[in-house]
Amino acid sequence: MPRSFLVKKYFAKQKPNYSELECQNDTCLENYTLADLSSVNTTATCFTTGLVWDLSVLPTLYLPASQTEPSANTGPLDLSSPSSLSSNASSSGEEDEGRTSDPPSPEPVHTYGPRQRMKCTGVMAHISPPEEEEERETPATAARPAFLCKHCPKEYTSLGALKMHIRSHTLPCVCTTCGKAFSRPWLLRGHIRTHTGERPFSCPHCNRAFADRSNLRAHLQTHAEVKKYQCNVCSRTFSRMSLLQKHSSSGCCSTSV
DNA sequence: CTGGGGACGGGGCCC
DNA sequence: AGGGCCCCGTCCCCA
């Protein structure tokens, strides 16, 4: 299984209706408005859509299910579900290298620091506007066309996937506060929270709040008696794969993971 | 060394 | 077709 989207299936037809949540939580839009964001100088150039409501309604998503959704299996995040926990713990990892979490840089867009994560960092020097991005479809593979990125060796089987990938080169979403650029609007929204201090995702167990949903997910593992990642040798469980890997490499296990 | 938080990227699915 | 959102995962840093 390439990636685990089993949990996703819970939402297959029951994705959280943010509009309804807004109605149920009438304080949302009042708490976070575009004006608020502007007031803290954290507007961005990539306000595609939904920034305001998205930020505002999210706090409701991690209330206990009984308070948010009548349907039991539509809980916003059921990390305790077997399907969720069954995800392959080593599904990826062949692509991540650098990082882009550089400290705020006065440089304009396309300035990358040593932590640049993307594999094709070098191409950023000759970025062209999205409109100029051209897909290279290999005629030799007409039966299953491959869309090649002209900035890096990656290829995709669909134009949409390629265009999505190209955004990682063009990084059209720019934070006007620090100039950091992102490939997708919601990445930028998440980044903006680092400026605003907004933490829409609350842990139902300890009320600790997080700005990032994934971080909440990881945090929820700390509340679990049995962690998600288990050592094949000693059966010890860990909340993160990285911890398991460290555990394995430190001697307990010779080959696991 | 371990555990956890912060920040972020990518692919896939849904609308 | 494109945008938005989701989940998974990684890396870095700190206690």
Side-chain angles (χ1 to χ4, degrees):
Chain A
M1 185 159 51
R3 295 179 72 88
S4 173
F5 287 93
L6 296 177
V7 177
K8 177 69 173 183
K9 296 185 184 302
Y10 286 159
F11 304 100
K13 296 298 181 183
Q14 300 178 8
K15 294 183 67 174
N17 186 328
Y18 298 123
S19 298
E20 292 179 358
L21 291 174
E22 288 180 32
C23 297
Q24 293 169 1
N25 186 349
D26 55 7
T27 63
C28 292
L29 291 177
E30 296 172 2
N31 291 339
Y32 302 99
T33 65
L34 184 58
D36 290 336
L37 293 174
S38 300
S39 67
V40 291
N41 293 325
T42 54
T43 57
T45 59
C46 193
F47 286 123
T48 51
T49 61
L51 173 60
V52 176
W53 66 262
D54 179 62
L55 294 177
S56 62
V57 301
L58 286 174
T60 66
L61 295 180
Y62 289 94
L63 291 173
S66 60
Q67 299 181 24
T68 56
E69 283 288 341
S71 177
N73 65 348
T74 55
L77 181 61
D78 185 9
L79 287 179
S80 62
S81 71
S83 61
S84 177
L85 298 180
S86 65
S87 63
N88 189 337
S90 58
S91 60
S92 66
E94 75 280 12
E95 295 180 355
D96 294 318
E97 284 162 8
R99 282 185 59 81
T100 56
S101 56
D102 298 334
S105 168
E107 295 296 322
V109 194
H110 307 150
T111 298
Y112 299 89
R115 292 169 70 190
Q116 168 60 271
R117 186 178 188 174
M118 286 171 47
K119 188 175 272 184
C120 314
T121 306
V123 304
M124 300 309 294
H126 48 83
I127 271 177
S128 54
E131 296 74 15
E132 300 178 13
E133 301 298 337
E134 299 174 1
E135 305 80 26
R136 295 177 288 134
E137 181 175 356
T138 53
T141 57
R144 184 176 178 177
F147 297 89
L148 305 180
C149 176
K150 71 175 185 179
H151 298 299
C152 72
K154 283 198 171 184
E155 63 181 78
Y156 296 83
T157 56
S158 71
L159 178 60
L162 173 61
K163 287 184 175 180
M164 180 66 70
H165 165 75
I166 287 176
R167 292 176 69 92
S168 68
H169 292 301
T170 59
L171 301 179
C173 305
V174 183
C175 175
T176 56
T177 299
C178 67
K180 189 168 173 55
F182 299 86
S183 60
R184 309 182 195 186
W186 58 92
L187 290 175
L188 174 59
R189 285 197 286 269
H191 166 76
I192 288 176
R193 295 194 194 107
T194 67
H195 295 305
T196 63
E198 180 194 11
R199 294 167 178 259
F201 307 99
S202 299
C203 173
H205 298 96
C206 65
N207 287 330
R208 179 164 183 150
F210 298 85
D212 186 279
R213 191 190 305 271
S214 290
N215 292 340
L216 169 61
R217 189 181 302 116
H219 167 78
L220 288 174
Q221 279 289 303
T222 68
H223 291 297
E225 293 183 2
V226 178
K227 306 297 192 297
K228 184 176 182 178
Y229 304 100
Q230 184 174 37
C231 174
N232 293 333
V233 174
C234 67
S235 297
R236 183 176 175 183
T237 58
F238 299 87
S239 59
R240 298 183 181 204
M241 164 127 54
S242 60
L243 297 176
L244 172 58
Q245 290 174 335
K246 286 180 181 180
H247 167 77
S248 300
S249 61
S250 65
C252 174
C253 315
S254 57
T255 57
S256 65
V257 182

